[in-house]
Amino acid sequence: MKVLKFGGTSVANPENINKVKSIVQKLDKEKVAVVVSAFGGVTDLLLNTSALAARQDTAYKESLKTIEDKHITAIRELIPVQNQSSALSKVKSDMNVLETLLEGSFLIGELTPKLSDKIVSYGELLSSYIISEFFKSEGLDAIFKDSRELIITDNNFGKANVNFEKTNQNCIDFFKENNHQIVVLPGFVSSSKSGDSTTLGRGGSDYTAAIIAGAVEAEVLEIWTDVSGMYTANPRLVKQAKCVAHISYEEAMELSHFGAKVLFPPTIQPVLGKGIPIAIKNTFDPENPGTLITKNTNGNGKTVRGISHVGNISLLSLEGPGMIGIPGISKRFFETLSLKNISIVLITQASSEHSICVGIADEDVDVAAEAVNETFEYEISTKKIKPVIVEKDLTIIALVGDNMKSHQGLSGKMFSTLGKNNVNIRAIAQGASERNISAVIKKDDVKKALNSLHETFFEENIKQLNLFVMGVGNVGSKFLDQIRQQKKYLKEELKLNVRVIGISNSRTMAFDENGIPLKEWETVLADGEKADKQAFFDRIKSLNYRNSVFVDNTASAEVSKTYADYLHNSISVVTCNKIACSSDYTYYKELKQLAKQYNSPFLFETNVGAGLPIIDTLKHLIASGDKIKKIQAVLSGSLNFVFNTFNDSVTFHDVVKQAQEQGYTEPDPTIDLSGVDVMRKILILARESGYQLDIDDIANEAFLPKESLETDSNEAFFESLKKYENDFQKMYKEAADADSKLKYVAQFEDGKAKVGLQKIPKGHDFYNLEGSDNIVLFYTERYPNQPMIIKGAGAGADVTASGIFADIIRIGNF
């Protein structure tokens, strides 16, 4: 004999009930017990209706009418007209009784647990009766049986305790005498010894099926729901979650206890001792094998089998010096909660006996706090114990697996993963069986925590990076294109799944939680909402994704001021914007400190040399114990291009204009030609070498006339260049006559820095520097005479974008 249970979504409407019939029909001549839940949403409707009646709100009558209409409609759509009469009559009769019960609650303005159980039981009673009549009308050999006649409980209304001795005998006797192939029974409902309707708790239909399966020693218990088995994590929160094909009873109990909603926690107990397998199947994909739950057969040696969570948890903490060494404190604490019928989900206690902390449902915490404070009123008044401390809006997450106890380092791996993603842990507990490790976190961090842990334990080391890109001009657009081109390579070769979740320019911004399709990013952005830097940050913060990275491709001082907010929320920052790292030294140090404190990398390789690994090389030199003695560099690709192109046959104005048009200069070319850009770069290198320096400490030997530097627009600037063409030609001639080339050089030595135009003679490392290339000479303790040289393209959108890309990969390997 098989026992099949169909949940609320499986019987939500006539279309789904037809799917249930098809599944049952395929069992041919096998004896089957079919346990069904109330029609989808009916239990909640009944609870809401009874609450309205208890509040003496006449709106309960409309709600009752909705319930009646739902069942009448089901009969008319499922059962042929000629067979509807008895079913309609039965439903009308039950609705009349239900109306009477609700009227009673309305008149007295109260809803007792006993009355509530009577009212709410009608959901399952009506659905099971209608489904049995439907089966009969379709030619199936079916009969209806009221579970209240089989399952006997105590009078603990709302969550009754089963008397298994009487219940098992009732089930054995009934099914032994039953000659029908299919028996349809209501889940969730039962009756007390005195004959009153009781219920087994929300989710109790699973339990009903398990009780019957255990009593008759069924071949298998099948739980049919709307998902294809038990998953490694909640698939609604973790899209990469996978179905677990085979799991042990104990693992399934742990997962269901910690929120795996496909299985009601008590379900396993009645079948465990008899070794009856449980199959979790999908009504809407019946061919899918789903999950099979049996005795431990975890032969593949996997440690963590699933990650689950329980939401709406509060922590209740009792602490104080008066608890140390005093026997009976724990007993009084737990007894107080027990007398208030409050279930404890998690317990943790300090080894010093200074505190006890328990996790309970949010809905119970106020009653619990009041009761505990009352119990320890004397100790609180004498300052031996503090008033109970309450923390709300928390969630418990748990790793579950039979083989966890034989593997070292799982706890460390779990907590390290959460720590890297700035998920604060409020309490920790581990079962004595070492089958689970539990941690209490803020509910706002649940999605990030589950995805981070799932990535660590189940996703074959593929790390997901979630990018939020501000600035999609020359550099930004090239960067997005490079990400698109390399996406497959990154996933296959580097195990990095890079998604762009948000993009923004100065006008609009757009987000897609599943990742913006990079072939269409321009269209997506054009259709986005109005750009707002604060709103952009707020959205990233509210999404709270793991491995979030803010990418700044702008040259905006305002954007650079937001970095601290991102780092403080464990959002990494990658930027080609030099302003933050060359601004006030205290802000630079604050950003570096925040990056360390919140495990959020702050990378800015492209601040110096675009895509050249200048800063990265410098960091490795310092980290290995080397010390910088001197830095000499040509750090402006735009100025190098200008002076490599300028000669006596072309005007200085035309060369600078060409540099701007080809994207070598900043939008405001005076930033480059004034030397400010180079000053920022040498300042950053000095700071990264370990020196405290500000921009005002750098000597700038300007070559531009004062008038050009003080212009207030690009037009005025370029006009001024024409005016001083003779001066520029004179500089060129003097260098040429000395068989030298003009280069704009930055130098740092003995804690001092300067920038300026120099005549570079033949034979110097800078002399043959072509186009827009950069070059850096690092003189160190290890390289005192022959410097370490880094040379290559130091300007242009492509190489800058590739430098940003390289920083993203560094974060992926972090």
Side-chain angles (χ1 to χ4, degrees):
M1 176 177 166
K2 290 183 176 180
V3 178
L4 281 63
K5 178 265 175 177
F6 292 92
T9 52
S10 298
V11 294
N13 52 53
E15 181 185 354
N16 292 1
I17 293 169
N18 267 295
K19 295 181 188 295
V20 171
K21 183 206 72 175
S22 299
I23 292 166
V24 175
Q25 205 167 24
K26 286 181 181 177
L27 295 174
D28 200 19
K29 300 297 181 183
E30 285 188 76
K31 285 286 183 82
V32 185
V34 177
V35 178
V36 298
S37 295
F39 291 160
V42 167
T43 301
D44 286 333
L45 269 173
L46 285 163
L47 288 169
N48 183 55
T49 305
S50 55
L52 289 171
R55 293 200 302 267
Q56 297 184 316
D57 187 337
T58 56
Y60 85 88
K61 294 180 180 179
E62 294 175 20
S63 188
L64 180 61
K65 183 70 167 59
T66 301
I67 295 168
E68 181 176 355
D69 290 345
K70 192 175 183 75
H71 291 91
I72 296 295
T73 300
I75 291 171
R76 288 181 172 150
E77 291 187 24
L78 289 169
I79 302 172
V81 175
Q82 63 272 21
N83 298 330
Q84 289 179 5
S85 178
S86 60
L88 289 170
S89 177
K90 166 69 173 167
V91 169
K92 287 283 187 182
S93 175
D94 282 354
M95 293 304 298
N96 288 337
V97 175
L98 184 55
E99 183 178 17
T100 301
L101 294 172
L102 290 165
E103 282 177 354
S105 178
F106 178 83
L107 290 171
I108 64 173
E110 186 182 350
L111 182 67
T112 64
K114 181 176 180 180
L115 179 55
S116 179
D117 269 8
K118 281 187 178 180
I119 292 170
V120 81
S121 67
Y122 276 91
E124 273 73 12
L125 291 169
L126 288 165
S127 66
S128 56
Y129 174 76
I130 292 170
I131 290 170
S132 70
E133 291 297 302
F134 168 57
F135 283 1
K136 289 178 193 176
S137 70
E138 292 290 308
L140 300 182
D141 180 18
I143 187 176
F144 167 76
K145 179 63 176 177
D146 189 338
S147 301
R148 294 177 298 180
E149 298 172 9
L150 301 177
I151 301 174
I152 307 303
T153 69
D154 61 14
N155 286 318
N156 186 25
F157 298 103
K159 198 172 183 180
N161 300 298
V162 177
N163 181 326
F164 278 98
E165 184 178 351
K166 290 190 175 183
T167 297
N168 288 347
Q169 192 58 52
N170 288 345
C171 291
I172 291 167
D173 291 344
F174 169 75
F175 283 99
K176 185 177 181 181
E177 297 296 324
N178 171 56
N179 294 318
H180 296 274
Q181 184 211 346
I182 302 163
V183 179
V184 182
L185 305 103
F188 179 56
V189 299
S190 48
S191 65
S192 66
K193 294 176 186 177
S194 56
D196 291 310
S197 292
T198 56
T199 58
L200 303 174
R202 291 301 295 266
S205 292
D206 286 359
Y207 194 26
T208 302
I211 291 166
I212 293 169
V216 301
E217 299 191 19
E219 172 191 341
V220 65
L221 167 60
E222 295 181 357
I223 306 292
W224 291 82
T225 180
D226 57 357
V227 292
S228 300
M230 298 189 84
Y231 280 69
T232 48
N234 185 336
R236 293 180 177 88
L237 296 177
V238 181
K239 292 187 177 178
Q240 290 79 24
K242 305 167 187 175
C243 181
V244 183
H246 199 174
I247 196 169
S248 73
Y249 290 122
E250 291 78 10
E251 288 170 330
M253 276 195 285
E254 293 283 359
L255 284 171
S256 61
H257 174 71
F258 286 105
K261 294 181 180 178
V262 295
L263 195 64
F264 183 55
T267 301
I268 295 163
Q269 201 59 48
V271 298
L272 174 61
K274 298 180 180 179
I276 299 167
I278 304 173
I280 311 294
K281 305 274 284 178
N282 190 341
T283 306
F284 309 99
D285 185 12
E287 299 306 315
N288 192 303
T291 298
L292 185 65
I293 304 170
T294 63
K295 291 181 179 177
N296 188 0
T297 57
N298 190 12
N300 57 16
K302 285 190 176 179
T303 51
V304 179
R305 304 305 304 281
I307 307 165
S308 203
H309 72 286
V310 183
N312 302 316
I313 293 294
S314 290
L315 283 183
L316 201 69
S317 301
L318 188 69
E319 58 183 62
M323 295 172 61
I324 301 172
I326 306 299
I329 294 288
S330 297
K331 174 182 178 295
R332 291 168 62 196
F333 182 60
F334 294 123
E335 189 174 64
T336 298
L337 297 177
S338 176
L339 291 172
K340 293 293 182 179
N341 203 26
I342 293 171
S343 178
I344 296 172
V345 184
L346 173 143
I347 303 170
T348 180
Q349 182 170 13
S351 57
S352 65
E353 300 181 49
H354 181 266
S355 67
I356 304 172
C357 179
V358 297
I360 62 177
D362 278 342
E363 62 192 35
D364 294 330
V365 72
D366 292 332
V367 172
E370 185 179 347
V372 173
N373 282 334
E374 187 177 320
T375 297
F376 293 95
E377 185 176 6
Y378 171 73
E379 288 86 350
I380 292 170
S381 67
T382 57
K383 310 289 186 188
K384 292 180 179 179
I385 294 178
K386 297 178 183 178
V388 71
I389 300 167
V390 173
E391 295 177 72
K392 297 184 178 181
D393 298 325
L394 302 172
T395 291
I396 299 173
I397 54 171
L399 297 187
V400 172
D402 277 337
N403 287 355
M404 285 168 55
K405 60 185 174 184
S406 56
H407 284 75
Q408 293 77 31
L410 287 178
S411 298
K413 198 172 180 181
M414 175 184 182
F415 301 139
S416 172
T417 298
L418 295 175
K420 282 181 179 179
N421 284 278
N422 198 31
V423 177
N424 187 40
I425 298 171
R426 284 296 305 114
I428 298 166
Q430 182 167 12
S433 66
E434 298 185 53
R435 196 172 279 118
N436 82 71
I437 306 169
S438 309
V440 181
I441 63 172
K442 291 192 301 183
K443 72 174 184 181
D444 292 342
D445 287 332
V446 169
K447 188 173 182 180
K448 179 163 68 173
L450 290 176
N451 278 277
S452 300
L453 292 172
H454 197 273
E455 185 176 81
T456 298
F457 289 101
F458 291 103
E459 293 177 32
E460 300 176 356
N461 297 321
I462 292 180
K463 186 174 185 178
Q464 182 170 290
L465 297 180
N466 298 294
L467 309 187
F468 300 88
V469 181
M470 184 168 285
V472 287
N474 284 342
V475 173
S477 59
K478 295 288 185 184
F479 170 67
L480 292 176
D481 192 48
Q482 290 175 12
I483 292 286
R484 180 184 62 79
Q485 290 177 14
Q486 292 298 104
K487 191 172 178 66
K488 184 178 179 182
Y489 174 85
L490 292 173
K491 194 165 187 177
E492 291 178 356
E493 300 299 326
L494 302 184
K495 303 299 181 186
L496 294 176
N497 179 23
V498 180
R499 307 188 309 166
V500 177
I501 305 298
I503 52 176
S504 177
N505 57 22
S506 59
R507 298 176 302 280
T508 56
M509 61 184 188
F511 293 85
D512 187 333
E513 294 184 26
N514 296 315
I516 292 170
L518 294 183
K519 284 185 177 180
E520 305 161 18
W521 71 264
E522 290 174 288
T523 303
V524 172
L525 184 58
D527 294 336
E529 58 191 287
K530 185 179 178 182
D532 183 300
K533 287 186 285 292
Q534 185 60 47
F536 195 78
F537 166 73
D538 291 341
R539 184 67 182 275
I540 299 172
K541 185 179 175 183
S542 67
L543 286 172
N544 202 19
Y545 280 162
R546 71 197 188 282
N547 306 326
S548 291
V549 184
F550 173 63
V551 183
D552 177 19
N553 297 318
T554 74
S556 166
E558 289 302 312
V559 174
S560 73
K561 292 175 184 175
T562 66
Y563 296 171
D565 293 330
Y566 286 101
L567 296 171
H568 187 81
N569 286 277
S570 289
I571 300 164
S572 301
V573 174
V574 170
T575 181
C576 59
N577 184 344
K578 292 178 280 290
I579 295 174
C581 288
S582 60
S583 62
D584 186 76
Y585 182 78
T586 55
Y587 185 54
Y588 162 80
K589 287 300 290 182
E590 179 190 357
L591 296 179
K592 300 280 282 188
Q593 185 58 41
L594 286 171
K596 290 178 183 176
Q597 184 177 349
Y598 292 98
N599 269 317
S600 44
F602 172 43
L603 301 181
F604 42 90
E605 182 65 74
T606 49
N607 279 196
V608 181
L612 295 176
I614 295 171
I615 293 176
D616 195 51
T617 302
L618 177 57
K619 284 180 177 177
H620 286 307
L621 287 171
I622 302 297
S624 67
D626 206 352
K627 291 184 179 178
I628 301 297
K629 293 295 186 181
K630 182 169 72 172
I631 301 172
Q632 285 185 314
V634 174
L635 294 172
S636 173
S638 54
L639 282 171
N640 200 43
F641 173 85
V642 166
F643 287 109
N644 277 335
T645 309
F646 178 55
N647 54 48
D648 54 7
S649 62
V650 63
T651 68
F652 193 73
H653 165 277
D654 289 348
V655 171
V656 175
K657 193 72 174 174
Q658 183 184 352
Q660 185 195 40
E661 289 169 352
Q662 293 186 15
Y664 290 128
T665 72
E666 299 286 348
D668 177 2
T670 59
I671 294 175
D672 295 287
L673 272 74
S674 67
V676 170
D677 186 60
V678 177
M679 290 170 71
R680 288 172 176 166
K681 291 176 179 178
I682 195 66
L683 174 63
I684 292 168
L685 292 182
R687 286 176 171 179
E688 289 295 297
S689 301
Y691 291 87
Q692 182 173 337
L693 216 65
D694 275 308
I695 196 84
D696 294 338
D697 299 325
I698 301 174
N700 182 0
E701 300 166 1
F703 70 89
L704 281 180
K706 187 177 180 182
E707 181 184 335
S708 298
L709 290 172
E710 292 177 351
T711 54
D712 56 5
S713 69
N714 283 358
E715 291 78 10
F717 171 72
F718 280 110
E719 280 301 313
S720 75
L721 295 183
K722 291 178 182 178
K723 182 177 178 181
Y724 291 97
E725 179 62 26
N726 289 337
D727 293 343
F728 299 133
Q729 287 294 340
K730 183 180 177 183
M731 285 191 299
Y732 171 77
K733 188 175 186 307
E734 288 176 354
D737 289 347
D739 205 14
S740 299
K741 289 184 178 181
L742 293 171
K743 302 291 178 184
Y744 198 85
V745 178
Q747 183 165 312
F748 175 74
E749 188 174 12
D750 297 329
K752 296 180 179 179
K754 65 178 181 178
V755 300
L757 196 62
Q758 294 183 18
K759 299 182 187 75
I760 303 299
K762 276 186 178 179
H764 194 282
D765 290 308
F766 294 169
Y767 184 83
N768 291 316
L769 195 65
E770 300 295 333
S772 62
D773 285 0
N774 281 191
I775 186 169
V776 178
L777 311 182
F778 286 125
Y779 292 88
T780 73
E781 288 184 347
R782 294 176 189 155
Y783 299 90
N785 301 315
Q786 293 297 322
M788 176 179 282
I789 302 175
I790 301 171
K791 178 181 176 182
D798 275 319
V799 291
T800 304
S802 70
I804 295 167
F805 201 158
D807 275 345
I808 298 296
I809 292 171
R810 288 186 183 96
I811 289 177
N813 295 327
F814 177 71

